[in-house]
Amino acid sequence: MKKTLILISIFMMTLASCSGKNKTADKAPAKQTVGLPNPIHESSAEEIAEQLSLKFAVPDGANDVHYSIIAENLAQMDFIWNEAECTARIKRDAESEDISGFYYNWSNETPCTVGENAGIAKWQITEVGEVVGICLWQNKASNLTYSVSMKKNADSEKLIALANAVYIAGATPMTYKMVSMAEGLEIAKNNPDAIIVDVRRDDEYKAGHIPGAVLLTMETITEETAAKVLSNKNQMILIYCRSGRRSKIAAQNLLDLGYTNLIEFGGILDYKGKVKKN
């Protein structure tokens, strides 16, 4: 009897010991998982123009338009067009890369023309019977690669029409030249007919500007105000501001107004020479 009680006691102590270990393990803190940063962030047409020097045209009839920047170098515009979900993308220095994000074994494709550029339209019937498609093209002059995609009712005619609407209907992406302050000054020195434009505020200009620069405040650029200072739209125009932000916006505004020979060369913060005050 005593032997039996001893065995039972040992068994109960063993169970208690195991139970305690399990409770300790249960209370051990869980390892935290470190998430990767999201490569996509919501944006706006203005931010895309400022940060990436890119611009979309919004097709007539498009609605529910949203913008985003992917991996800090690809601009995206999502919208509804002809009752289909559509996406347009632009990326600089992508060469022959397919930036559409659609990777089907396309069963249909046809060469096409988007603006002045050669392109290709591709489409495919999905397993659920919907027709999806993409159109890809590249502007070699500006080294920009484009794509449009449709998630429903796609065919070659619609894809090509959509591509041309995105590329042509509004304004094409920026094609003005961007150089450093030192390079801009050297260009101005070697081109005496070029005009240097300061696009800061009037008080900033009067406090000190590059000698010979004329004032055309970025916030007030219109066809009329620009014509008073820049009568020749084909003249070489070098544009600067304080840090290089406003000069890019001003260059795009002038580009949209038809000026053809624009050079953006940053901000006066990088200027090392004497300034003129008036």
Side-chain angles (χ1 to χ4, degrees), residues 7-251:
L7 290 173
I8 292 173
S9 298
I10 293 172
F11 178 70
M12 295 300 292
M13 291 173 65
T14 302
L15 286 177
S17 175
C18 292
S19 177
K21 288 180 181 179
N22 288 337
K23 288 180 179 179
T24 302
D26 290 341
K27 291 180 180 180
K31 292 183 180 179
Q32 293 184 348
T33 302
V34 178
L36 295 174
N38 189 350
I40 304 175
H41 77 264
E42 294 184 4
S43 186
S44 64
E46 294 75 18
E47 183 182 22
I48 287 173
E50 180 178 337
Q51 292 190 9
L52 301 182
S53 297
L54 301 173
K55 187 173 183 180
F56 292 102
V58 180
D60 291 339
N63 55 68
D64 197 21
V65 181
H66 295 88
Y67 298 91
S68 56
I69 296 176
I70 302 174
E72 300 183 353
N73 64 357
L74 188 152
Q76 177 168 304
M77 178 176 66
D78 296 297
F79 53 97
I80 304 298
W81 185 73
N82 283 349
E83 300 182 352
E85 294 181 31
C86 301
T87 296
R89 289 180 167 184
I90 311 174
K91 185 177 181 182
R92 193 179 303 279
D93 302 320
E95 298 181 354
S96 59
E97 178 184 352
D98 181 347
I99 65 171
S100 69
F102 279 55
Y103 304 108
Y104 287 91
N105 292 320
W106 302 104
S107 59
N108 304 283
E109 60 179 63
T110 184
C112 62
T113 300
V114 183
E116 70 279 17
N117 312 292
I120 186 166
K122 305 178 181 182
W123 64 103
Q124 170 76 37
I125 301 177
T126 67
E127 294 179 354
V128 296
E130 292 185 345
V131 185
V132 300
I134 63 173
C135 185
L136 306 168
W137 71 100
Q138 184 181 41
N139 183 311
K140 294 184 178 180
S142 58
N143 203 18
L144 296 177
T145 297
Y146 300 77
S147 75
V148 293
S149 60
M150 297 181 67
K151 295 183 180 179
K152 182 181 178 182
N153 300 330
D155 58 33
S156 61
E157 184 178 348
K158 291 178 182 176
L159 288 165
I160 295 169
L162 177 60
N164 277 285
V166 167
Y167 184 69
I168 295 177
T172 55
M174 294 181 179
T175 55
Y176 61 79
K177 187 175 181 180
M178 291 183 286
V179 301
S180 67
M181 173 60 66
E183 290 173 318
L185 293 172
E186 186 66 21
I187 291 172
K189 178 181 177 181
N190 295 328
N191 294 272
D193 292 333
I195 184 168
I196 299 176
V197 178
D198 186 322
V199 296
R200 297 176 297 162
R201 300 189 310 271
D202 180 69
D203 60 315
E204 294 176 289
Y205 177 82
K206 290 179 178 179
H209 58 270
I210 295 174
V214 298
L215 177 66
L216 178 59
T217 304
M218 183 272 291
E219 291 86 354
T220 63
I221 292 177
T222 64
E223 185 83 46
E224 293 73 22
T225 59
K228 292 178 181 179
V229 179
L230 307 169
S231 58
N232 183 356
K233 290 190 173 182
N234 296 315
Q235 183 178 18
M236 180 181 288
I237 301 168
L238 295 105
I239 306 165
Y240 77 93
C241 61
R242 177 180 177 274
S243 64
R245 183 185 67 84
R246 284 174 287 179
S247 54
K248 292 179 176 62
I249 297 173

